[in-house]
Amino acid sequence: MSPRDPETEQEADVDPHAPGPHDPDARGHFGPYGGRFMPEALIGALDELSAEYDKARLDPEFTTEFTRLLRDYAGRPSLLTEAPRFAEHAGGARVFLKREDLNHTGSHKINNVLGQALLTKRMGKKRVIAETGAGQHGVATATACALMGLDCVVYMGEVDTERQALNVARMKLLGAEVIPVKSGSRTLKDAINEALRDWVTNVDTTHYLLGTAAGGHPFPIMVRNFHKIIGIEARAQILDQVERLPDAVVACVGGGSNAIGIFHGFLDDPGVRLVGIEPGGKGVDSGEHGATLGHGTPGILHGAMSYLLQDEDGQTTEAYSISAGLDYPGVGPEHSALKDAGRAEYRAATDAEAMHAFRLLSRTEGIIPAIESAHALAGALELGRELGPDGLVVVNLSGRGDKDMDTAAKYFGFYEGS
Amino acid sequence: MSALDDLFAGVNEQGRGALIGYLPAGYPTVDGSIELLTAMVEAGCDLVEVGVPYSDPVLDGPTIQAAADEALRAGFRLRDVFRTVEAVSAAGGRAVVMTYFNPVLRYGVDAFSRDLAAAGGLGLITPDLIPDEAELWLEASTAHGLDRTFLVAPSSSEERIASTVAATSGFVYATAVMGVTGARDVVGVGAQTLVSRVRAHTSLPVGVGLGVRSGEQAAQVAGFADAVIVGSAFVTAAATGVDAVRALTAELAEGVRRTPAPIG
């Protein structure tokens, strides 16, 4: 596909909801990935959701309301901020930050949540369930449910309720019930398992508001489209500010929703490298990491075929990251397809590299990123050095770091000797 | 005719329901599960479902989750399922394997089917695989002469019931309620409705599972279904020991032979 000419770009090119060549097939397959590896009991609900979403994405009443909420409630468009002092550490390349941290609730998660909450109302369902890792998706879901008068139950791994106690309090204040999940590894993966068990029991009344671009069809395409606004805005903003496209767009990848959202703004610009940064944990050779695309193999988890961290018997293995939002052993199926096609590249940043970037951005730009997003920043430092002084990098700063203060204070020893 | 066709024809001739009992392989150990499954065969299970312990069993309630965790912690390996099936077959029992699909995919769908058939296994029950995604399994099951049991649920549309039973052989697994596995006091009138809906599309035998735990419930379900499938109750009994498993099997086997009382 030839690069688009910014001068002649049509409105239709930037409608995030319009069906297009990057959609999966009718059964949700991105090449060999995606699909519906789900219990039959949930297929009816997935069919209902697909039908409702297919109608809604073409319905101006829905898309107008969604766009209005993004603007008047979430605060879009989010800024694109140049980070020159940070960039001095990135080989002199210019670095721009897509400021999803400035959205209401503090991360990109609000985009998807507002879209799915609107769909929930269209389907006449009154109860929403969600999983959360770091708590950002749980907080965003609780927020949208408060806004729209929906009952909200959030499943959260017990380990994460301890790591992210502040977000648990936020969800409760917003009126959500938070259920600590004590099974399995007691993190995000098990929270999703428990949410699926709830859904199969209460599917008549309940929408499962999945927080990432993974799971059975139609979740990967639907969540992606609700986040495409990130990439559409970023592309227009970088053209406006620098008058050229970036050399690379960088985003962290756990399940992959913020990355797929920003990547899609540049997918048809072949000169723009799309770089996903996975959690390298204690190092990808240590076995303690969450680098699914870099070190996994294709398999099934939570309803879709995709790359997966698994052992030789097909048992899911536990992911590790200092970031509660990235330690997921699966990944959205479209990322697997982009990896195989060579259109996107995936690297890892370790805990130490991410925490270095976390502190560096705080001290050079006065912006405290989420530890998840700090992985993307670490990737940007590396890419900037590779690209050199002529390089131009856009980083998706997917969330703010307030929730990570306790983790950071422990990591940097701020609690010691005070 | 497959071995499962023979089984159901025989049970049907006796004018009773079949009893199908589930237990995870490797629980509490591989040898322990072989002893328990053999006892189930001896005490009256017409067919056993040998479960594959899996890290992410989204359709299972706490009882089976805990058993799967224990089996995995005790070192269960996927290949142990073949030894388990072989032992059940050698004891004169009939076995199918119930498994989430990723372990099969990882092993290789054709290789798994080949090794299961070689061990004497009769087929697979696949709770998270719908026929729409089952191309590899449809081919491998045909190649190795294995039966394919897919699930239907109260939420399944008529179209989905029709397409699911068309891909099924051996027997259809009807989930009695919307929910995860686990013993329940009431199996629900919904199960009977679902069985009737399935029968409108197929002459295959229909088994009902999810929630059955007593001889009384088994008798009720056998009144409208071809097979009564019991899982969590066996796992609970297994935690007590082989005598409890024998006693539960005997109670359920008596139940499926009882003249059914109408569901009230």
Side-chain angles (χ1 to χ4, degrees):
Chain A
M1 188 170 290
S2 60
R4 294 176 295 182
D5 178 357
E7 298 300 316
T8 60
E9 192 157 278
Q10 300 296 308
E11 184 74 14
D13 292 338
V14 292
D15 174 0
H17 311 290
H22 301 300
D23 284 2
D25 73 15
R27 294 191 294 129
H29 298 105
F30 298 89
Y33 302 110
R36 280 182 179 168
F37 293 85
M38 293 287 251
E40 168 61 25
L42 289 174
I43 300 297
L46 292 170
D47 279 340
E48 180 192 13
L49 184 61
S50 288
E52 197 64 46
Y53 176 65
D54 286 345
K55 271 188 285 178
R57 67 192 292 197
L58 301 172
D59 178 355
E61 198 177 322
F62 176 85
T63 55
T64 303
E65 175 65 359
F66 178 56
T67 304
R68 187 193 69 76
L69 281 169
L70 289 181
R71 184 190 65 211
D72 298 343
Y73 188 73
R76 301 205 75 91
S78 67
L79 301 177
L80 185 75
T81 306
E82 184 162 15
R85 280 173 35 79
F86 178 79
E88 288 172 15
H89 302 265
R94 293 181 75 181
V95 176
F96 286 73
L97 309 175
K98 181 57 178 162
R99 301 291 305 282
E100 293 298 296
D101 61 314
L102 296 178
N103 294 338
H104 181 45
T105 73
S107 80
H108 73 290
K109 295 289 187 187
I110 193 75
N111 305 323
N112 166 49
V113 157
L114 289 171
Q116 285 199 49
L118 281 177
L119 273 180
T120 305
K121 285 176 69 176
R122 277 177 74 108
M123 289 187 290
K125 292 186 172 180
K126 305 276 188 241
R127 179 173 179 267
V128 164
I129 57 173
E131 83 296 341
T132 198
Q136 295 301 84
H137 175 59
V139 167
T141 303
T143 299
C145 288
L147 176 69
M148 299 192 197
L150 299 165
D151 294 335
C152 181
V153 173
V154 179
Y155 289 93
M156 189 170 186
E158 193 178 41
V159 170
D160 293 330
T161 60
E162 290 158 10
R163 284 198 280 198
Q164 301 287 345
L166 185 63
N167 272 341
V168 174
R170 290 168 81 192
M171 287 184 268
K172 287 182 175 170
L173 183 63
L174 291 160
E177 182 186 355
V178 180
I179 301 182
V181 175
K182 299 181 163 95
S183 58
S185 60
R186 298 179 295 137
T187 59
L188 179 58
K189 161 178 94 73
D190 304 283
I192 295 176
N193 289 343
E194 210 54 39
L196 284 168
R197 291 180 187 120
D198 179 317
W199 201 28
V200 78
T201 308
N202 301 299
V203 68
D204 280 351
T205 60
T206 299
H207 174 61
Y208 180 12
L209 207 161
L210 185 66
T212 193
H217 177 66
F219 284 106
I221 178 182
M222 182 177 72
V223 175
R224 172 195 90 188
N225 287 352
F226 288 143
H227 284 306
K228 268 165 88 173
I229 189 69
I230 305 170
I232 291 168
E233 286 177 6
R235 188 175 188 279
Q237 287 166 320
I238 197 75
L239 286 174
D240 184 49
Q241 293 184 33
V242 189
E243 296 182 334
R244 81 166 175 97
L245 288 168
D247 299 302
V249 172
V250 189
C252 65
V253 177
S257 68
N258 88 80
I260 206 73
I262 196 164
F263 284 1
H264 260 268
F266 302 89
L267 204 54
D268 295 329
D269 298 312
V272 179
R273 288 166 66 185
L274 307 175
V275 185
I277 308 295
E278 298 193 294
K282 295 176 181 172
V284 291
D285 297 327
S286 71
E288 293 188 63
H289 64 83
T292 308
L293 289 156
H295 296 268
T297 47
I300 298 162
L301 180 66
H302 296 143
M305 182 83 73
S306 197
Y307 278 80
L308 175 66
L309 295 177
Q310 57 182 330
D311 70 14
E312 55 181 305
D313 281 352
Q315 309 287 351
T316 312
T317 52
E318 289 178 17
Y320 162 80
S321 169
I322 190 170
S323 152
L326 297 181
D327 64 350
Y328 180 56
V331 68
E334 193 173 2
H335 284 294
S336 294
L338 289 172
K339 172 192 158 79
D340 285 4
R343 179 62 190 95
E345 53 192 274
Y346 297 88
R347 306 176 171 193
T350 62
D351 287 357
E353 289 163 338
M355 294 310 288
H356 167 75
F358 177 89
R359 184 159 64 179
L360 187 64
L361 190 75
S362 301
R363 292 189 172 182
T364 54
E365 301 290 345
I367 296 169
I368 300 175
I371 296 177
E372 290 79 9
S373 319
H375 286 73
L377 291 165
L381 291 174
E382 189 177 273
L383 269 164
R385 289 180 199 122
E386 292 167 18
L387 292 166
D390 296 331
L392 177 61
V393 179
V394 171
V395 183
N396 199 11
L397 198 75
S398 56
R400 69 182 182 217
D402 308 43
K403 69 184 174 58
D404 294 316
M405 280 306 100
D406 188 51
T407 303
K410 285 173 181 154
Y411 186 87
F412 294 118
F414 294 159
Y415 291 150
E416 291 158 21
S418 56
Chain B
M1 288 257 298
S2 75
L4 287 179
D5 296 336
D6 290 342
L7 185 161
F8 282 101
V11 166
N12 205 24
E13 250 168 51
Q14 296 170 30
R16 65 176 180 91
L19 175 62
I20 303 178
Y22 165 95
L23 207 66
Y27 175 73
T29 61
V30 177
D31 289 337
S33 67
I34 288 172
E35 186 193 355
L36 293 164
L37 284 158
T38 306
M40 286 159 70
V41 169
E42 290 166 357
C45 278
D46 299 293
L47 178 68
V48 291
E49 292 178 8
V50 178
V52 172
Y54 177 55
S55 52
D56 295 276
V58 296
L59 258 184
D60 285 305
T63 306
I64 292 177
Q65 282 177 47
D69 282 350
E70 192 174 329
L72 290 171
R73 274 199 306 272
F76 170 83
R77 294 296 311 268
L78 187 56
R79 58 177 175 268
D80 294 331
V81 82
F82 304 120
R83 177 155 76 87
T84 308
V85 167
E86 206 163 39
V88 170
S89 307
R94 285 178 275 208
V96 292
V97 165
M98 183 161 194
T99 182
Y100 293 89
F101 202 60
N102 196 51
V104 178
L105 191 69
R106 182 73 167 148
Y107 193 90
V109 179
D110 189 72
F112 190 94
S113 304
R114 176 197 67 211
D115 292 353
L116 178 59
L122 304 182
L124 276 188
I125 304 171
T126 50
D128 65 347
L129 185 71
I130 55 174
D132 319 44
E133 300 283 2
E135 198 178 328
L136 290 173
W137 165 230
L138 298 181
E139 286 170 16
S141 53
T142 303
H144 298 284
L146 295 170
D147 276 318
R148 302 183 287 262
T149 292
F150 292 103
L151 280 65
V152 294
S155 61
S156 300
S157 64
E158 293 305 315
E159 295 74 23
R160 288 210 58 84
I161 290 177
S163 61
T164 302
V165 300
T168 298
S169 64
F171 69 100
V172 180
Y173 191 127
T175 54
V177 292
M178 292 300 289
V180 296
T181 57
R184 290 173 173 81
D185 289 334
V186 181
V187 173
V189 190
Q192 191 167 8
T193 309
L194 178 58
V195 171
S196 308
R197 293 175 62 212
V198 173
R199 292 206 196 284
H201 296 280
T202 183
S203 56
L204 281 171
V206 185
V208 168
L210 293 202
V212 179
R213 66 172 183 182
S214 69
E216 188 68 30
Q217 288 171 321
Q220 281 184 357
V221 172
F224 60 84
D226 301 292
V228 179
I229 305 169
V230 180
S232 296
F234 273 118
V235 175
T236 302
T240 309
V242 69
D243 291 342
V245 168
R246 280 183 197 281
L248 178 63
T249 309
E251 178 189 337
L252 295 165
E254 182 275 322
V256 299
R257 286 166 174 80
R258 212 182 291 173
T259 308
I263 292 187

